[in-house]
Amino acid sequence: MTKKWWMGKVAYQIWPKSFADSNGDGIGDLEGIIGKLDYLKDLGIDIIWISPVYKSPLVDQGYDISDYYDINPLFGDMDTMDRLLAEAKKRDMYIVMDLVVNHCSDEHEWFKKACADPDGEYGKYFYIAEKKDGKLPCNWRSYFGGSVWEPIPGTNKYYFHAFHKKQPDLNWENPKVREEVYKMMNWWFERGIAGFRIDAIINIKKKLPFCDYEPDRDDGMVSVVRMLEDAEGIGEFLEEMKHEIFDKYDAFTVGEVFNEKDSELREFIGENGHFSSKFDFAPEMCGKGGAWYEHETVTPEMYKNAIFDSQLRVADIGFLSNIIENHDEPRGVCRYIPEGDLSDTSKKALATVYFFLRGIPFIYQGQEIGMENCPFENIDQLDDISSKDEYKVCRDAGYSEEESMKLLRIYSRENARTPVQWSDEENAGFSTHEPWIMVNPNYKEINLAKQKDDSNSVYAFYKKMIALYKNPAYHETLTFGRFEPYQRETKNLIAYFRKGENQTLLVLANFQNEPQTVVLPEEAGNVILNNCASVDVDDDSRITLAGYQAVIIEL
Ligand code: GLC
Ligand code: CA
């Protein structure tokens, strides 16, 4: 395998609106990010993915871009962006932007021109159609609810949107669109970014011509996801993008790719794949199906099977990007640790398990201090369109307000979007102004200031993990070493090897409150990571792990 500059690096996701507010308007911004670069450097971060900061009406929090060449004034301006790039570079850090090109905002000039003249040049930038015999071209339901078709006022035409109606899909079949996208990407690389996280990318290829599918709900519609099964040929677009742009800049790219077929894995992230990496969403998908009320609670066994299957499936084909959460998911500690078992120790155990999987570890803002889901009490406390839609689906299905709010506190992505808890000061040290969204009331207990100098804190543990990952004595093995499950069948034990050329490391985590004794495969060597004060190994190479104890042992 050809070694690339990004292999063995540690990445961090910033969701700017809630990261750090520099000017006291209650909204995080670029200057706020600059102010935290030293913090991130000290933590051990190399690559920073910043969720969209482009000009946008923020209907979907920036995933609705009205100008790809400008910064949303709420977040700063282009000079500040350039300064952020320069300051990161000074610290040997890499900035990765979010590439949102399945759709733009309905406030983008392309779309405005398209609406003004649907049959003209810009009309072809989008999917615009008329009803036939009184029927829309297809019965697909958008990700955020309602039909994918929305009327263009003053005409008999409709445009297609896979997400919100304020996010019209760009027509990738039109070479002009692709040219515009590559031009824009090029422009950003020339400014000094190191790569892109590629948003919603599998949606750029539609199943054409549009057709109806069997409805999956009483509304007579079917989730737009259904068409992805039949949409063929996305690879041609992605190869073009790679050759035009990514290869030229030796970029780091990570795709938001769901549902790829086994046979496509190599095409996506193999040696010469479309992308450097893709997120492993298998744990995020665990237990999910249909509406919130149809989801199943994740058990440690389900979680283990999800990550292990992904690891085995990818093996040495390429690099997954491993996460426990992001801006589209609730907090990982609340999702993968059984209710009632949440503690600093269990948070560290979960961290150990995911961080040392083969791939690129990503940390989402606040994860490093163990931030938790937010006890929202009513729907008006939220801003997120997708949570509001899912909440409505629950209410429409007959769930009470209380039941629906309970589901929201478990599944809503807004849980991960509350301000980062920097300190126990007012507004959690995020801003001097009341933030745009509520602060998690637990900020007095969970905050960075409190954890910074406490060697037992979750934060200190993350720092330790990153240092271990980068320790030259283990870095090769932890980056390239083979993943192999250990005692996979043992309940509530999550254990695996990382096998390097001349080194074997064993990651062991006891995912329950009761102690658990495990026979080691061979005599234990050094314990190189431990989330508890001691380790109990007897003369017969049996290790007794305390509740939620996690260790890494060199064999
Ligand atoms: C991706 C983003 C998500 C956004 C959606 C539409 O899934 O991560 O936040 O809502 O795309 O752009
Ligand atoms: Ca601000």
Side-chain angles (χ1 to χ4, degrees):
M1 175 194 299
T2 324
K3 292 198 178 170
K4 298 284 202 169
W5 65 266
W6 46 264
M7 293 175 181
K9 298 270 190 277
V10 176
Y12 189 95
Q13 181 190 355
I14 290 179
W15 197 75
K17 204 173 176 186
S18 289
F19 185 64
D21 175 22
S22 72
N23 61 348
D25 63 357
I27 297 172
D29 46 52
L30 292 178
E31 198 64 57
I33 299 177
I34 296 176
K36 299 292 183 192
L37 286 177
D38 284 332
Y39 162 72
L40 294 174
K41 181 73 192 172
D42 177 63
L43 178 59
I45 303 303
D46 306 297
I47 298 175
I48 303 173
W49 154 30
I50 305 178
S51 278
V53 288
Y54 314 87
K55 215 169 211 174
S56 158
L58 294 189
V59 169
D60 189 17
Q61 309 293 13
Y63 285 91
D64 48 323
I65 298 171
S66 54
D67 186 350
Y68 291 94
Y69 296 92
D70 207 351
I71 299 294
N72 187 329
L74 283 176
F75 295 145
D77 55 22
M78 216 49 193
D79 286 344
T80 319
M81 186 69 217
D82 285 342
R83 207 146 39 74
L84 169 57
L85 287 163
E87 290 297 324
K89 191 157 188 205
K90 253 192 227 164
R91 294 165 176 81
D92 285 323
M93 293 162 101
Y94 304 86
I95 300 291
V96 165
M97 296 278 278
D98 217 304
L99 183 72
V100 190
V101 288
N102 172 67
H103 45 266
C104 56
S105 161
D106 67 341
E107 297 181 30
H108 193 287
E109 62 162 2
W110 296 336
F111 191 70
K112 288 190 196 156
K113 289 180 184 166
C115 289
D117 180 13
D119 297 317
E121 185 191 349
Y122 287 94
K124 299 187 182 66
Y125 274 43
F126 300 89
Y127 293 98
I128 293 178
E130 290 173 20
K131 280 188 174 171
K132 239 196 210 138
D133 304 324
K135 227 185 110 320
L136 290 168
C138 65
N139 67 340
W140 308 347
R141 184 189 313 105
S142 66
Y143 288 103
F144 297 151
S147 167
V148 293
W149 296 101
E150 185 70 17
I152 302 180
T155 71
N156 59 347
K157 296 184 196 301
Y158 295 76
Y159 68 91
F160 179 98
H161 61 92
F163 293 86
H164 194 265
K165 65 175 183 215
K166 283 183 70 68
Q167 296 170 299
D169 281 47
L170 287 164
N171 182 356
W172 273 73
E173 306 293 334
N174 179 353
K176 283 281 309 177
V177 167
R178 304 204 297 275
E179 212 177 282
E180 291 274 15
V181 168
Y182 305 149
K183 192 176 100 192
M184 174 273 288
M185 292 170 75
N186 220 60
W187 187 87
W188 276 102
F189 276 111
E190 290 297 324
R191 285 200 109 81
I193 65 165
F196 280 112
R197 173 265 185 183
I198 301 161
D199 182 71
I201 194 69
I202 38 168
N203 298 285
I204 64 172
K205 190 79 197 183
K206 318 291 187 231
K207 162 79 178 84
L208 296 174
F210 294 110
C211 61
D212 281 357
Y213 288 112
E214 189 68 33
D216 61 8
R217 274 186 206 160
D218 296 342
D219 59 9
M221 291 188 268
V222 56
S223 166
V224 59
V225 176
R226 171 63 187 85
M227 70 92 180
L228 297 176
E229 290 168 33
D230 297 337
E232 303 269 348
I234 191 175
E236 285 158 39
F237 294 157
L238 298 180
E239 276 308 279
E240 187 179 84
M241 188 190 271
K242 176 178 154 73
H243 290 125
E244 296 267 332
I245 310 289
F246 298 152
D247 284 352
K248 193 164 132 198
Y249 293 99
D250 193 14
F252 169 67
T253 55
V254 48
E256 188 195 23
V257 178
F258 287 92
N259 310 342
E260 82 285 348
K261 296 151 195 133
D262 271 359
S263 58
E264 288 172 342
L265 205 48
R266 203 174 284 277
E267 290 163 37
F268 273 100
I269 59 167
E271 171 99 44
N272 283 307
H274 313 313
F275 304 135
S276 315
S277 177
K278 66 167 232 84
F279 288 107
D280 180 19
F281 290 118
E284 274 63 39
M285 300 303 283
C286 227
K288 279 193 194 157
W292 282 345
Y293 54 81
E294 291 166 286
H295 293 356
E296 212 182 307
T297 304
V298 184
T299 63
E301 290 313 286
M302 285 160 73
Y303 177 65
K304 171 168 71 183
N305 286 330
I307 53 178
F308 280 20
D309 287 347
S310 286
Q311 289 281 308
L312 294 169
R313 193 162 87 101
V314 171
D316 62 356
I317 289 178
F319 277 75
L320 287 169
S321 286
N322 297 311
I323 56 170
I324 60 166
E325 64 199 31
N326 64 23
H327 67 294
D328 289 330
E329 298 293 332
R331 290 287 179 179
V333 292
C334 297
R335 184 155 159 76
Y336 305 118
I337 299 168
E339 208 183 341
D341 289 2
L342 205 51
S343 67
D344 280 1
T345 308
S346 60
K347 288 176 182 178
K348 294 173 193 171
L350 175 63
T352 307
V353 165
Y354 104 95
F355 194 88
F356 294 99
L357 293 170
R358 191 174 182 285
I360 302 161
F362 269 73
I363 298 168
Y364 176 71
Q365 65 186 32
Q367 181 187 324
E368 74 275 26
I369 55 168
M371 279 181 65
E372 299 173 6
N373 284 351
C374 183
F376 295 110
E377 276 163 9
N378 70 71
I379 192 71
D380 299 329
Q381 290 170 317
L382 287 87
D383 191 42
D384 173 34
I385 43 178
S386 135
S387 303
K388 287 187 173 170
D389 174 60
E390 300 273 357
Y391 173 83
K392 187 173 171 298
V393 170
C394 294
R395 296 290 281 125
D396 290 349
Y399 286 76
S400 69
E401 186 183 335
E402 199 183 308
E403 288 163 338
S404 305
M405 283 311 295
K406 189 165 172 228
L407 288 163
L408 183 146
R409 287 191 290 270
I410 302 174
Y411 295 114
S412 166
R413 62 181 185 173
E414 205 83 306
N415 282 301
R417 297 178 172 194
T418 61
V420 170
Q421 292 158 212
W422 297 105
S423 71
D424 66 0
E425 287 161 48
E426 209 181 354
N427 307 318
F430 160 75
S431 176
T432 51
H433 186 281
E434 191 189 338
W436 67 278
I437 192 170
M438 73 183 273
V439 173
N440 193 317
N442 69 12
Y443 75 96
K444 296 258 175 204
E445 290 80 56
I446 299 177
N447 64 67
L448 178 71
K450 191 171 161 200
Q451 297 188 20
K452 195 95 204 266
D453 301 315
D454 171 2
S455 60
N456 275 322
S457 66
V458 173
Y459 166 78
F461 191 77
Y462 266 87
K463 210 171 157 181
K464 229 180 270 172
M465 288 201 306
I466 297 172
L468 173 65
Y469 187 72
K470 295 195 171 176
N471 182 336
Y474 307 108
H475 195 231
E476 274 292 303
T477 304
L478 290 172
T479 306
F480 299 102
R482 196 152 49 84
F483 165 93
E484 205 179 285
Y486 182 62
Q487 296 199 8
R488 182 171 176 161
E489 305 310 323
T490 306
K491 193 163 172 239
N492 294 347
L493 176 74
I494 307 186
Y496 60 85
F497 297 106
R498 294 298 310 277
K499 292 189 170 173
E501 271 178 23
N502 303 302
Q503 190 175 52
T504 297
L505 305 176
L506 177 61
V507 178
L508 282 171
N510 176 25
F511 244 69
Q512 59 183 18
N513 278 323
E514 300 71 43
Q516 172 157 216
T517 300
V518 182
V519 181
L520 295 172
E522 52 188 274
E523 210 177 299
N526 293 332
V527 174
I528 58 176
L529 186 75
N530 186 359
N531 68 345
C532 295
S534 59
V535 218
D536 174 2
V537 184
D538 69 15
D539 293 341
D540 298 322
S541 287
R542 287 187 318 181
I543 183 169
T544 298
L545 298 165
Y548 285 100
Q549 183 165 19
V551 294
I552 302 183
I553 303 174
E554 192 173 355
L555 296 175

